[in-house]
Amino acid sequence: MLKINRFLTVIFVRFKTTSMPRWLIPLIILVIVIVAVEIYTFQAFKTISKNKWVRFSFLAISAAVYINFFITMLTYDRGNGQTPQFQMAMGLMLTFAIPKLVVIIFLFGEDIYRWIVKLISLVSSGETKSIPSRRKFISQLALGIAAIPFVSFIYGIIQGKYNYKVIKYQLSFDDLPAAFDGYTITQISDIHSGSFTNREKIQYGVDLINEQQSDLLLFTGDIVNNKADEMDDWIDVFDKLSAKEGKYAILGNHDYGDYMDWKTPQDKIDNFEKVKNIHQKIGFDLLLDEHRYIEKNGDKIALLGVENWGRGFNQAGDLEKASAGVQKDDFKILMSHDPSHWQEKVKKDDFNYHLTLSGHTHGLQMGIEIPGFLKWSPSQYVYKQWAGLYEEFGRFINVNRGFGYHAFPGRVGIWPEITVIELKKA
């Protein structure tokens, strides 16, 4: 025992004093987790099939997905931004990994049952018996249920990211100017043009926006993933966006170029200027901590737009600056990319911002939504307002689920959104 303790002490000291890259320890942990997941999932295949080709195919496909993922991650150049290859590697990894977690839940539950049976047998008879073998039915059930998220992710990557949904709301306000009764606003958010690969599908989404024929079109940030040139091939598509009385936009967190390595600080500054110029090229009035008055038949409402303000990062937005010159009793619509701004600052502000429009979360691009029954996504554990319409203190926020996609090249259950809001005088 003393020798073992000395051996472990030496290993610990060497491990602690050895200079190791910061990324190596998380990578080792990830590899250990992956091995454990694969061993467990392979048990299910062994239980339901004795065919060597089935087992070999499972191992070969899993190995190919992991190898592709690790090679992509280790050779990924942050100076290029998120490439389609990066996104596909991430997509395949999630597509194959998440269903395996479903299998593990079932098999781990069965293992607990098997150990309980063994312990009961030991206590009742005093004899040590072998653990009951794994039941084929449980493995079949686990793989059957795991097939649901697997198929859903495949659909999400191929078609779900283009499954545009028009979501309509009618909001009533006592102090809405009479001329704006029935006024319509289309909101889109999170274009992320650097992720696009299918021109025909994107054109369909733009046409669907125009079909709403709203009075106002508002875009709430993230026109690119990182680089301004991601939009070069799409300007002639998005410059066709139309609205009766104007198009306005704000910046999102990705528009600042903070998520990639630039060769020089000046390159980042130049890119940011180009991103801002994109909005002008496609006909948007970009609001940078500014406001505009929208006038109709002698009445007016204030439209305010702030730069990105997020809880814990990139708090560039200045609400006070954007509101300078706006009266407290004016009816106000605020565009702010990150909904945490509304949660932390806006909703309790005495200046009374009637309606805030945000995006940013994408609803994590995966979840379950059954209208009137169930609304769930891992995004809700990060953002209190993560998708759809919310009201507190008589003030509203709509969190648009996004037009495009990012990181994961698909959408599962959380579809790309075009929001149409009709204002009514109560």
Side-chain angles (χ1 to χ4, degrees):
M1 186 66 181
L2 184 59
K3 291 182 179 180
I4 294 176
N5 287 338
R6 286 177 179 173
F7 173 77
L8 293 175
T9 301
V10 170
I11 293 297
F12 175 76
V13 170
R14 287 184 179 178
F15 180 79
K16 188 176 180 180
T17 57
T18 301
S19 177
M20 300 177 65
R22 291 182 178 181
W23 53 264
L24 188 57
I25 294 177
L27 181 61
I28 292 173
I29 295 173
L30 179 60
V31 169
I32 292 172
V33 171
I34 288 174
V35 170
V37 167
E38 291 303 313
I39 289 174
Y40 242 96
T41 311
F42 188 62
Q43 297 301 313
F45 277 88
K46 284 180 62 179
T47 303
I48 67 170
S49 177
K50 304 300 182 183
N51 190 306
K52 292 183 179 179
W53 285 106
V54 171
R55 298 179 181 182
F56 175 78
S57 298
F58 167 79
L59 294 174
I61 293 172
S62 296
V65 170
Y66 288 124
I67 291 171
N68 177 60
F69 176 77
F70 281 112
I71 290 176
T72 302
M73 294 302 112
L74 293 174
T75 59
Y76 170 57
D77 182 1
R78 291 191 72 224
N80 295 327
Q82 278 200 15
T83 63
Q85 292 78 14
F86 175 94
Q87 292 190 352
M88 187 54 65
M90 180 69 69
L92 290 175
M93 183 71 168
L94 291 173
T95 300
F96 281 85
I98 289 180
K100 290 175 182 177
L101 296 179
V102 175
V103 173
I104 285 177
I105 291 173
F106 278 87
L107 298 192
F108 184 70
E110 187 188 24
D111 282 347
I112 294 175
Y113 165 78
R114 293 161 68 199
W115 276 100
I116 290 174
V117 170
K118 178 180 174 65
L119 290 173
I120 291 175
S121 175
L122 178 63
V123 171
S124 61
S125 65
E127 298 179 3
T128 302
K129 295 183 178 180
S130 60
I131 301 174
S133 59
R134 209 177 279 285
R135 290 172 293 178
K136 185 176 182 180
F137 167 73
I138 297 298
S139 295
Q140 290 174 328
L141 180 63
L143 291 173
I145 294 179
I148 297 174
F150 179 77
V151 172
S152 298
F153 271 75
I154 294 294
Y155 171 81
I157 292 173
I158 296 173
Q159 184 61 35
K161 59 190 177 187
Y162 305 121
N163 188 20
Y164 302 104
K165 299 296 182 183
V166 178
I167 299 179
K168 298 185 177 184
Y169 301 107
Q170 188 180 86
L171 303 181
S172 298
F173 301 91
D174 292 332
D175 52 352
L176 179 72
F180 288 89
D181 184 31
Y183 197 79
T184 55
I185 299 168
T186 290
Q187 179 200 0
I188 57 173
S189 193
D190 299 88
I191 288 175
H192 287 287
S193 55
S195 300
F196 292 157
T197 56
N198 190 318
R199 190 176 183 86
E200 181 181 350
K201 297 292 187 180
I202 303 305
Q203 182 65 63
Y204 166 74
V206 170
D207 292 341
L208 192 57
I209 294 169
N210 289 336
E211 284 178 15
Q212 308 314 309
Q213 298 184 336
S214 291
D215 296 300
L216 212 59
L217 176 60
L218 305 180
F219 169 60
T220 47
D222 278 359
I223 201 164
V224 295
N225 290 340
N226 294 289
K227 301 167 69 176
D229 60 13
E230 295 168 4
M231 193 66 181
D232 288 352
D233 294 335
W234 305 98
I235 288 177
D236 63 337
V237 175
F238 285 91
D239 67 1
K240 304 300 188 300
L241 287 170
S242 63
K244 298 175 184 177
E245 298 183 20
K247 305 185 295 183
Y248 298 86
I250 58 172
L251 297 173
N253 55 305
H254 281 268
D255 297 323
Y256 293 82
D258 289 339
Y259 302 107
M260 64 177 291
D261 294 329
W262 299 94
K263 293 181 180 178
T264 68
Q266 187 61 45
D267 287 343
K268 182 180 179 182
I269 294 172
D270 293 343
N271 181 76
F272 186 47
E273 290 303 314
K274 291 177 182 178
V275 168
K276 289 189 286 186
N277 291 336
I278 288 171
H279 297 81
Q280 183 179 358
K281 291 180 180 179
I282 60 177
F284 279 104
D285 184 356
L286 180 63
L287 302 184
L288 302 170
D289 295 334
E290 302 171 88
H291 69 270
R292 304 282 188 268
Y293 274 109
I294 311 297
E295 298 187 7
K296 186 177 179 67
N297 298 334
D299 287 333
K300 64 181 181 179
I301 61 176
L303 176 66
L304 303 93
V306 295
E307 292 197 49
N308 187 74
W309 193 103
R311 182 180 60 224
F313 71 100
N314 198 345
Q315 297 180 354
D318 189 334
L319 185 58
E320 188 174 329
K321 180 181 177 182
S323 303
V326 177
Q327 303 303 310
K328 184 175 182 179
D329 57 354
D330 286 336
F331 186 88
K332 295 176 283 295
I333 298 173
L334 171 66
M335 294 191 292
S336 182
H337 178 71
D338 191 320
S340 65
H341 189 205
W342 189 80
Q343 174 66 20
E344 300 291 330
K345 299 288 185 180
V346 176
K347 71 178 183 180
K348 296 180 181 178
D349 196 306
D350 291 336
F351 206 57
N352 187 24
Y353 299 90
H354 298 75
L355 172 62
T356 299
L357 302 177
S358 298
H360 181 62
T361 70
H362 301 207
L364 204 66
Q365 296 170 210
M366 57 186 72
I368 303 172
E369 288 195 90
I370 304 175
F373 179 71
L374 178 62
K375 180 181 175 182
W376 177 87
S377 165
S379 184
Q380 69 189 55
Y381 304 118
V382 180
Y383 294 93
K384 188 173 182 180
Q385 297 81 29
W386 60 275
L389 190 68
Y390 303 83
E391 179 188 5
E392 289 188 49
F393 311 110
R395 297 156 188 175
F396 293 89
I397 180 173
N398 181 65
V399 184
N400 185 284
R401 294 163 179 81
F403 181 88
Y405 51 93
H406 181 253
F408 171 63
R411 284 179 176 265
V412 181
I414 306 292
W415 311 120
E417 175 180 345
I418 300 164
T419 312
V420 178
I421 298 174
E422 182 182 9
L423 304 178
K424 297 293 291 183
K425 186 170 180 62

